[in-house]
């Protein structure tokens, strides 16, 4: 569960970093599982533009029993239920590799527009938990956030040409619903930019309307992030056509487990 002050921070700023949500031993197991999945051929695996470096894997809770258990770990699940005020399931899961020296950027964007436009999700009653599987520092491409920007709702959405390329354009450095400089500049001026950093085992919870992105990884250290997107069972999408590794069809509420 989040403390009252953590919940207040989440509501005001649109995000909160929870240090030590996973123990070192748990983090090491999850990190090793991610590394194993990076090496497997899977339709949800996406490469960087060099065609050689893994960028991310999607739908991991569907293929990995360990990651399916992580999604149900009671200390994580209860925080998601608390924020959304209902029972929940995982709509989307991914591990973004952001490899040392090679990991590419994520343009500025809001997540909810993808789920609304592409998956038919009725409301932004959904939240992200991003587990830091490595130490996240200012140098290895931390998530950058505009605190408070979730209060704007969806900002003047603009379907770019990239959107026509299909679901790959939802995962690449040329993102379908990125915010251009003209939109970003006044918002960055108004809200400021903060970086979500912390030790491995910490987790960042953030609102699906929060404007965020991340730069390249210029450091010699990987920045592996596991993102679980929890959706309220009262907010089940209708009519989406994306592959199931991007949009879960099974909305059965998750039951908690106490250990990984
Ligand atoms: C990142 O991994 O830096 C970006 C993740 C996201 O926008 O979902
Ligand atoms: Mn995002």
């Amino acid at each position: 569960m989040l403390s009252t002050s953590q919940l207040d921070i989440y509501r005001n700023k649109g995000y909160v970093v929870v240090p030590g949500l996973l123990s070192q031993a748990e983090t090491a197991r999850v990190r090793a599982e991610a590394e194993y999945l990076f090496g497997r051929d899977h339709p949800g695996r996406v490469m960087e533009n060099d065609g050689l470096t893994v960028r991310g894997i999607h739908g991991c809770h569907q293929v990995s029993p360990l990651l399916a258990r992580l999604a149900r770990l009671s200390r994580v699940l209860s925080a998601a239920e608390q924020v959304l005020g209902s029972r929940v399931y995982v709509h989307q899961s991914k591990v973004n590799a952001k490899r040392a020296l090679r990991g590419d950027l994520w343009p500025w964007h809001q997540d909810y527009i993808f789920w609304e436009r592409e998956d038919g999700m009725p409301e932004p009653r959904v939240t992200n938990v991003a587990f830091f599987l490595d130490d996240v520092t200012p140098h290895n491409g931390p998530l950058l956030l505009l605190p408070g920007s979730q209060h704007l709702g969806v900002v003047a959405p603009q379907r770019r040409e990239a959107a026509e390329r299909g679901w790959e354009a939802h995962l690449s450095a040329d993102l379908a619903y990125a915010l251009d400089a003209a939109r970003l500049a006044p918002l960055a001026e108004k809200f400021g930019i903060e970086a979500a950093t912390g030790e491995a085992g910490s987790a960042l919870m953030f609102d699906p309307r929060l404007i965020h992105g991340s730069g390249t990884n210029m450091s010699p250290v990987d920045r592996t992030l596991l993102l679980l997107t929890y959706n309220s069972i009262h907010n089940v999408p209708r009519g989406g056509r994306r592959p199931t590794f991007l949009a879960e069809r099974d909305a059965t509420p998750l039951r908690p487990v106490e250990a990984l």
Side-chain angles (χ1 to χ4, degrees), residues 94 106 109-111 114-115 128 143 175 206 212-213 227:
K94 59 189 180 191
W106 285 85
H109 67 279
Q110 294 173 300
D111 286 345
F114 291 87
W115 302 325
N128 289 311
L143 266 168
L175 212 50
F206 67 102
H212 63 281
L227 292 112

Side-chain angles (χ1 to χ4, degrees), residues 242-258:
R242 293 203 296 176
T244 52
F245 59 76
L246 287 180
E248 178 62 80
R249 304 302 197 275
D250 180 358
T252 309
L254 298 179
R255 289 177 184 281
V257 296
E258 291 310 317

Side-chain angles (χ1 to χ4, degrees), residues 3 8 21 67 70 80-81 90 93 125 137 149 151 168-169 187 198 202 218 231 246-247:
S3 67
D8 280 350
L21 188 59
L67 299 185
L70 175 64
E81 289 175 344
V90 171
S93 67
R125 195 173 172 185
T137 71
S149 58
H151 296 304
E168 290 87 347
L187 300 177
S202 307
M218 296 286 290
N231 189 25
L246 287 180

Side-chain angles (χ1 to χ4, degrees), residues 29-48:
R29 283 177 67 203
V30 174
R31 178 71 174 83
E33 181 77 348
E35 202 59 46
Y36 164 70
L37 294 172
F38 288 155
R40 276 184 60 200
D41 197 11
H42 176 264
R45 187 175 67 166
V46 173
M47 307 308 271
E48 298 284 12

